[in-house]
Amino acid sequence: MGTIETDTRRLERYAWLALLGCIGIVPLAVSKLPTSELPLTISVFGFPQTVILAAGVAVALILWAAALWTRQTTLMVSRPMVAFAVLWAWAVVATAAGYEPLRSLLGRSIAGLSLAHITMYTALGFLVTQLTDSKQRMRTLTWAVAISGGLVALIALTQQFWHVDLLALPVESWMVGRGFSTIGNPDHLGTYLVLPAILSLALAVTEETAKRRIAGAALVGVLLAALTGTLTRGAWVAALIGVLLAATLVWRSQRAPRSRQWALIVFGVAVAAVVLSLAMSDQADLASRFRVTTPQTSEAQGALGTVNAISSDRLNVWRSSLRIVFDRPLTGTGPAAFELGWYPNAIAPSSGGGAGGLADDPHSLLVYILATTGVPGFIAYLFAFLSALVYGARTSVALSGRGPLSGTAVYYVAWFIAAVALQIALLVAAVSTPIAMYAFVSFAVLLRPLARAVQAENPILTRHLPAVTSLVLALLFISAISPTLSAEIALGRTLRDGDLDRGRAAAARAPWNLDVQKMYFHLRISRMTDTLTSDADSARANVSLLVADLADAGARQPREYYYPSVRAQVLTQASERLSDPSIAEAAIAAADDALAIMPASIPTRVHRALALSDLERWKEMANTLEGYWENELGSPYPGILYAQALALSGDMADAERVFTSLQARFPQDASIEEARQQTDELLKQ
């Protein structure tokens, strides 16, 4: 009988395996093999995870549709699913009314919340509702997420403890000590590890067999050590709250004394992992996560300035985000287009510098949804996730009050604790594809008990229409990633062989994708720089062609700051090398175009100031940097340029004041005194 039952649900079982594989593999996906010198695609992280997500959800949808069509499964629905449907529907409206609809629809390579992403996450949650229908599957899903996270954490530990990157991935050196694993950024990694860490903790304490508890305890050590080593403060707080909530519910469940002893053992493993990770961390980096990095700014701004500095500029970015909402309260900027609204609303001074390191993400999922989909989208998401957490809380409290947790209750309560912890982290964290995927999956798990089989007799409504819709969605997911995948692979080849003609053709396949365009123009700029040092005539031709192409790209995306800012950079560099006043004038005009989009940009103001210095227009140079040089807290260079402009325009007293201020802020930087001496020599000539 068991064989017959299994055979009659074969397609449904394959759909479950595809869903499980998708959820487990997405966090591990990178486009770099240990044996290859360069990555297969230009986006090593982020986009490969999107590709796996799209392919995995598409395969699972196709198999589920086939199972539904052949009566091997039944359509399940629940009322809370309506809120997620409303969120998706309003995201469609926000996309159509957004600043750049195609960009909002298909997204960027590094973005995890385009309309295509939101649709995939919603479909993933739908599949979890349809397929996670037994204790065995709840256990398998829980362990799959914990083990997948454990593998990610193991890679991170090799980076944190031994400063070894097994894949030799192209990242900044500071990331290695804090770990980035396959997620791509220590802050993203810390947030990602919250959910599997809490799941493993709950499993280690509550699982029925000793082998599973030991395996869970091992995962606890690995996951908490890696999470701690990322030095991600929001993830620390979320994990701590998750641990406290888990302890409360486990104690409430009135476990036997022996089990409480095991809980103490697991607690010891967790503490040891945290202590070891802190001991292995770079102490200077660890201290920097808990001190105010901008005392001058904090003193000037008071308590809010201090909090803003400690929070790595989040208060300023959230204030900018609220300005976006005031401008476009109904539809926001459109998904995956947050920075297009942020550019004109960037607030100075900024503890992150005027460059706006957080411009593409406000470091809060709630703020991100509010700014990109407007108030209606925000309300829909808020209702959806509160419904899941409130129902999960009521159910978990009821389950834990019935005595020792066992069976499906163990896994449900574990998911509730992990979902709460993840949402706490996401209040102050940036979003990436695996993190957002976990959020939607956890909601679906919590709401699964509310799902009921559709009782309608009409097969068109209960089988045929849902099956066809699933097939259409699967095709759309593959179609959505195909142009960018093709462009990324072709640009990866261009990186290896330097064929810019192939690069131009590749970039044309995804003109909306800013990450693809950035890499293509980066290759062009590198080629131009080479000619600047070797052949002046060829350099002029290359500069003219590059500037024209940047201008054309900017005309297609007039709200995008990147294109005019890079034009200003290219022209400033060419002006310095070729000593051509007309190029300097063009650089100033390009900088003005960029500043019209993002007035608070310090890099563009620096480029404008350098072009003005080539023309010896010192007063304008000083005016360009006035009021902005103090916002650059990582480098004295803008302040040096400002002081030199003041001195050369005859304002020696203010120039000396700026040099003195810079030396107080950057006491170890010898370039300030060198610049002062150089300025004195220029004045003597």
Side-chain angles (χ1 to χ4, degrees):
M1 180 67 69
T3 303
I4 295 175
E5 181 179 349
T6 299
D7 288 341
T8 58
R9 297 188 63 188
R10 180 179 299 173
L11 289 172
E12 192 265 358
R13 189 174 74 255
Y14 290 161
W16 162 249
L17 293 175
L19 172 66
L20 202 65
C22 174
I23 294 173
I25 295 174
V26 164
L28 294 165
V30 293
S31 65
K32 176 74 163 56
L33 301 174
T35 56
S36 64
E37 182 179 354
L38 293 172
L40 302 177
T41 60
I42 59 170
S43 300
V44 183
F45 311 100
F47 183 66
Q49 295 162 354
T50 297
V51 171
I52 297 299
L53 176 66
V57 176
V59 171
L61 280 173
I62 291 171
L63 291 170
W64 179 81
L68 186 65
W69 192 280
T70 58
R71 300 178 184 271
Q72 294 186 36
T73 190
T74 304
L75 177 65
M76 307 291 292
V77 297
S78 64
R79 289 183 179 179
M81 292 172 61
V82 175
F84 291 98
V86 171
L87 171 63
W88 175 83
W90 194 257
V92 172
V93 175
T95 296
Y99 286 137
E100 291 185 12
L102 194 57
R103 176 172 175 166
S104 291
L105 172 63
L106 301 175
R108 295 174 51 180
S109 297
I110 63 172
L113 273 177
S114 66
L115 178 60
H117 282 94
I118 293 173
T119 309
M120 286 187 278
Y121 301 142
T122 304
L124 197 65
F126 173 81
L127 287 170
V128 169
T129 300
Q130 304 305 311
L131 298 169
T132 312
D133 58 357
S134 65
K135 170 190 170 182
Q136 178 64 31
R137 288 190 175 180
M138 277 285 285
R139 185 181 74 177
T140 304
L141 176 62
T142 305
W143 278 100
V145 171
I147 292 171
S148 176
L151 294 174
V152 172
L154 278 174
I155 297 173
L157 289 178
T158 64
Q159 299 162 347
Q160 294 169 352
F161 285 9
W162 297 287
H163 293 262
V164 174
D165 177 18
L166 299 176
L167 295 177
L169 297 168
V171 299
E172 298 178 36
S173 59
W174 69 270
M175 289 188 181
V176 178
R178 287 176 55 194
F180 56 88
S181 190
T182 56
I183 306 301
N185 181 289
D187 293 330
H188 292 176
L189 174 63
T191 304
Y192 159 79
L193 291 173
V194 167
L195 186 135
I198 298 301
L199 288 181
S200 66
L201 183 67
L203 293 173
V205 176
T206 60
E207 275 288 68
E208 297 175 356
T209 67
K211 288 183 179 179
R212 293 181 196 166
R213 291 198 298 270
I214 292 172
L219 286 171
V220 167
V222 170
L223 286 160
L224 283 182
L227 187 155
T228 303
T230 64
L231 306 185
T232 307
R233 295 160 297 182
W236 288 3
V237 172
L240 177 60
I241 293 176
V243 169
L244 295 176
L245 180 58
T248 301
L249 291 177
V250 168
W251 194 268
R252 175 182 169 81
S253 70
Q254 302 174 8
R255 301 289 292 175
R258 181 180 176 185
S259 296
R260 289 178 182 172
Q261 292 173 1
W262 177 252
L264 292 176
I265 293 173
V266 174
F267 178 74
V269 171
V271 171
V274 170
V275 171
L276 178 62
S277 186
L278 290 176
M280 296 296 291
S281 299
D282 181 86
Q283 296 305 303
D285 197 4
L286 178 61
S288 71
R289 305 296 286 173
F290 294 95
R291 70 167 177 260
V292 180
T293 57
T294 58
Q296 296 83 3
T297 302
S298 301
E299 291 173 5
Q301 294 186 347
L304 285 179
T306 302
V307 173
N308 183 61
I310 293 175
S311 69
S312 301
D313 206 32
R314 279 170 177 75
L315 293 187
N316 273 347
V317 177
W318 292 344
R319 288 167 61 198
S320 294
S321 300
L322 289 179
R323 291 185 174 188
I324 297 172
V325 177
F326 291 147
D327 289 342
R328 298 174 65 87
L330 288 180
T331 59
T333 64
F338 172 81
E339 60 269 42
L340 297 181
W342 187 88
Y343 293 144
N345 291 300
I347 295 175
S350 162
S351 61
L358 304 178
D360 58 354
D361 192 306
H363 274 54
S364 173
L365 178 58
L366 289 176
V367 175
Y368 190 102
I369 291 175
L370 176 61
T372 57
T373 64
V375 175
F378 172 78
I379 292 174
Y381 178 81
L382 195 65
F383 182 82
F385 104 81
L386 286 179
S387 297
L389 294 189
V390 169
Y391 178 78
R394 291 168 53 190
T395 305
S396 297
V397 169
L399 291 172
S400 62
R402 296 174 184 172
L405 291 168
S406 62
T408 306
V410 169
Y411 310 113
Y412 186 91
V413 172
W415 274 94
F416 166 68
I417 299 168
V420 170
L422 178 59
Q423 289 302 313
I424 291 171
L426 285 173
L427 291 176
V428 294
V431 182
S432 65
T433 299
I435 299 169
M437 178 186 74
Y438 276 176
F440 278 74
V441 168
S442 64
F443 294 155
V445 170
L446 295 183
L447 294 171
R448 177 61 180 77
L450 292 174
R452 298 290 183 270
V454 176
Q455 300 299 325
E457 297 180 358
N458 188 342
I460 295 178
L461 296 178
T462 59
R463 292 192 292 120
H464 300 157
L465 182 60
V468 171
T469 302
S470 297
L471 292 174
V472 171
L473 282 177
L475 293 175
L476 288 177
F477 292 155
I478 299 301
S479 300
I481 64 168
S482 294
T484 295
L485 180 60
S486 174
E488 289 248 350
I489 292 174
L491 278 175
R493 294 174 182 168
T494 302
L495 279 175
R496 291 187 284 273
D497 60 24
D499 186 348
L500 287 182
D501 289 336
R502 178 189 288 122
R504 178 186 290 273
R509 296 170 192 168
W512 68 86
N513 191 316
L514 185 63
D515 301 305
V516 168
Q517 303 305 313
K518 280 185 175 181
M519 180 53 67
Y520 167 62
F521 282 114
H522 175 75
L523 295 171
R524 294 274 304 275
I525 292 170
S526 298
R527 184 70 59 84
M528 181 212 71
T529 302
D530 292 339
T531 61
L532 280 176
T533 59
S534 59
D535 186 348
D537 292 335
S538 176
R540 290 178 185 276
N542 285 335
V543 168
S544 297
L545 183 58
L546 176 56
V547 168
D549 288 346
L550 285 166
D552 289 342
R556 291 192 296 270
Q557 300 182 41
R559 292 183 178 273
E560 179 50 59
Y561 159 78
Y562 171 78
Y563 299 111
S565 69
V566 173
R567 268 198 296 132
Q569 173 190 340
V570 168
L571 289 165
T572 300
Q573 186 178 359
S575 171
E576 182 181 0
R577 296 289 180 86
L578 300 176
S579 301
D580 187 334
S582 65
I583 297 179
E585 293 284 2
I588 295 169
D592 288 340
D593 291 341
L595 292 174
I597 297 173
M598 184 179 169
S601 172
I602 290 178
T604 296
R605 289 185 176 276
V606 166
H607 292 140
R608 189 177 194 276
L610 289 172
L612 287 166
S613 70
D614 290 341
L615 300 174
E616 298 185 358
R617 289 156 58 176
W618 311 119
K619 191 66 176 177
E620 291 181 62
M621 180 180 174
N623 291 339
T624 297
L625 295 169
E626 184 178 6
Y628 290 93
W629 64 275
E630 295 172 295
N631 299 337
E632 178 52 74
L633 307 175
S635 168
Y637 187 60
I640 289 173
L641 289 179
Y642 179 60
Q644 289 177 330
L646 289 172
L648 293 170
S649 61
D651 194 345
M652 289 299 301
D654 281 346
E656 185 60 29
R657 176 184 58 80
V658 173
F659 276 126
T660 301
S661 174
L662 290 172
Q663 287 182 319
R665 291 169 56 189
F666 304 96
Q668 305 299 322
D669 199 316
S671 65
I672 300 170
E673 183 58 31
E674 292 175 2
R676 174 186 268 155
Q677 294 176 3
Q678 182 185 38
T679 303
D680 290 340
E681 292 175 1
L682 288 174
L683 291 172
K684 292 177 182 178
Q685 294 176 0

